[in-house]
Amino acid sequence: GQNIDQPTEMTATEGAIVQINCTYQTSGFNGLFWYQQHAGEAPTFLSYNVLDGLEEKGRFSSFLSRSKGYSYLLLKELQMKDSASYLCAVTERGAGSYQLTFGKGTKLSVIP
Amino acid sequence: DGGITQSPKYLFRKEGQNVTLSCEQNLNHDAMYWYRQDPGQGLRLIYYSQIVNDFQKGDIAEGYSVSREKKESFPLTVTSAQKNPTAFYLCASSISRTMVGNTIYFGEGSWLTVV
């Protein structure tokens, strides 16, 4: 099984940088995903990390430390449209397949 | 355009009724999933299917049923045995559940409300 922990809510100012943390405990780690979900809409894929280090994709970056069971999503130059929930999801290898478990999400509010 | 289509977007169910949510994908994905989302609870897996004519229970399968007669389709029935069905339901698919880095793509979701 997995235990995934991320903050429930965060607030940041337009134009600023925000870091959303995710910690996890799993016995068969095989990658970590970040998804963005606007209220009442489907989650959309942001990033996937399987090796330690930083993956950069435009204004968004995701970092992974497997030894620490830790990841963060970094959002730069925040825009109002970045107000959404950010879901951390961990892949664990089971019997012949990979199971994806989602955290409860972090609701980010971007204010002017 | 390729994607995942869920219908209806909004559905109202009376007490004791069964309702079926439709999910169709044209991405040629082998694996399909149903998740339920409640406020503050994140996404919880109801059922998944790795191949046609096969499906497995997820974490909260009680009160739900599915079928996978075609690769493209994975309908979810919310039965009267599900005592608290009001939620946002998300269908998803991926190339294969046996591949590392298996990215899941979601449909637009269906809101189910008990009246």
Side-chain angles (χ1 to χ4, degrees):
Chain A
Q2 301 183 37
N3 184 26
I4 301 171
D5 193 35
Q6 48 181 133
T8 304
E9 294 186 48
M10 298 182 71
T11 302
T13 305
E14 188 177 15
I17 299 173
V18 70
Q19 178 175 309
I20 302 174
N21 296 326
C22 173
T23 58
Y24 63 89
Q25 294 175 320
T26 182
S27 56
F29 177 81
N30 257 279
L32 186 144
F33 292 85
W34 284 97
Y35 283 82
Q36 179 191 61
Q37 186 180 25
H38 286 97
E41 298 181 9
T44 55
F45 169 76
L46 287 178
S47 68
Y48 171 68
N49 294 68
V50 65
L51 299 176
D52 290 350
L54 187 68
E55 296 277 345
E56 297 187 76
K57 192 183 295 184
R59 293 189 299 114
F60 292 6
S61 303
S62 57
F63 171 83
L64 175 67
S65 170
R66 290 172 294 172
S67 62
K68 296 182 179 179
Y70 168 69
S71 173
Y72 67 73
L73 181 69
L74 193 70
L75 291 75
K76 303 176 185 176
E77 301 170 16
L78 279 173
Q79 302 175 9
M80 298 301 290
K81 68 178 182 179
D82 296 330
S83 292
S85 287
Y86 291 86
L87 310 177
C88 172
V90 175
T91 303
E92 180 179 34
R93 180 158 191 173
S97 67
Y98 294 90
Q99 178 175 332
L100 188 65
T101 302
F102 286 85
K104 295 184 177 180
T106 298
K107 184 179 179 181
L108 174 66
S109 298
V110 180
I111 58 176
Chain B
D1 287 344
I4 304 170
T5 303
Q6 285 185 239
S7 64
K9 178 70 174 177
Y10 300 96
L11 184 62
F12 297 91
R13 192 195 90 168
K14 293 182 180 179
E15 295 281 353
Q17 272 187 341
N18 292 354
V19 292
T20 297
L21 306 179
S22 169
C23 179
E24 303 278 331
Q25 55 98 0
N26 60 4
L27 300 168
N28 199 33
H29 285 173
D30 282 328
M32 296 188 74
Y33 313 80
W34 274 104
Y35 287 90
R36 169 178 172 146
Q37 188 173 35
D38 297 277
Q41 292 294 318
L43 298 175
R44 293 185 290 170
L45 183 64
I46 304 172
Y47 267 98
Y48 65 92
S49 168
Q50 298 191 89
I51 198 168
V52 174
N53 292 323
D54 179 69
F55 49 84
Q56 305 294 328
K57 292 182 179 180
D59 300 320
I60 55 164
E62 185 176 351
Y64 300 97
S65 66
V66 293
S67 63
R68 187 86 186 276
E69 296 176 2
K70 298 186 300 182
K71 186 175 184 177
E72 301 80 16
S73 179
F74 192 42
L76 173 74
T77 296
V78 184
T79 75
S80 57
Q82 171 50 239
K83 297 306 179 188
N84 185 23
T86 296
F88 187 48
Y89 290 87
L90 286 159
C91 178
S93 72
S94 66
I95 293 175
S96 169
R97 203 166 185 266
T98 60
M99 284 176 55
V100 67
N102 180 39
T103 303
I104 289 181
Y105 298 93
F106 290 88
E108 292 301 309
S110 296
W111 290 93
L112 174 62
T113 303
V114 174
V115 296

